[in-house]
Amino acid sequence: MRMPLIAGNWKMNTTLSEAIELVSEMRPGLDRIDNVDKVICPPFISLAVVKELIKGSSIKLGAQNIYFEEKGAYTGEISPVMLADLCEFVIIGHSERRQYFNETGDIINKKILAALRVRLKPILCIGERLEENEAGRTEEIVTEQLRASLAGIDYPGGLIIAYEPVWAIGTGKAATGEQANETIGLIRRNTAKLYDERLAQALRILYGGSVTAANANQFINQPEIDGALVGGASLKVTEFLSIVRQTSEIKGHLSKGV
Ligand code: PGA
């Protein structure tokens, strides 16, 4: 049975003091919700402080990016070894990284490998752009992104995938539950082909793109969707808590194997 997971991607938002305030407000409510993995992904500069602030709670920590080299002359980058000490998860291949920072399939593949090497759990983001969606190329694009991201990786233990159609990110125009379920089902079948059925059935695949408290149930109710990667709504305490609470109510029993 797959434990549902909600991850909050804070993106490039919150100063250190704002991050402290946000996590302090979220902690009591989040900690009370069981049977869902609750992951928050603040900016790098806040990770160490947030780690202290969630100590003793059930909240887990993730980073938003990683570099693939272990150490050296890579000014401004953060290495897997540095992150392994701080958090459990790392978002890799987000469409904003692909779009604004020219991250290619090859770079993303190296980052996944680097994360797995230090036992960080990658949250690999894949998804088609609007024009690709309109041209009916969704299946082809996500299949190719998955193949490229996992090339040469024997067994991606700990991997989580987030299907995020680019046209739905930050636009307020979410996919429908059925659309997302269909594509996520396809991604699951593809991972079975790349690896085996056991890995595919255990793999958690999230939906991401304009998830809010108002539409979350539409996704969480779908059989293939194991949770959400939430951007904008993860910065609002009541919104985020509501998404996590709904997930626990709808899917929480699955994690207990009932
Ligand atoms: P959004 O972002 O929820 O603001 O659309 C999702 C994401 O980029 O992970």
Side-chain angles (χ1 to χ4, degrees), residues 9 11 94 96 164 168-170 209-211 229-232:
N9 174 10
K11 307 194 180 183
H94 192 280
E96 287 150 15
E164 299 206 304
I169 297 176
S210 296
V211 175
L229 180 55
V230 184

Side-chain angles (χ1 to χ4, degrees), residues 146-159:
L146 188 72
R147 192 206 56 74
S149 307
L150 299 177
I153 297 176
D154 284 348
Y155 207 81
L159 176 74

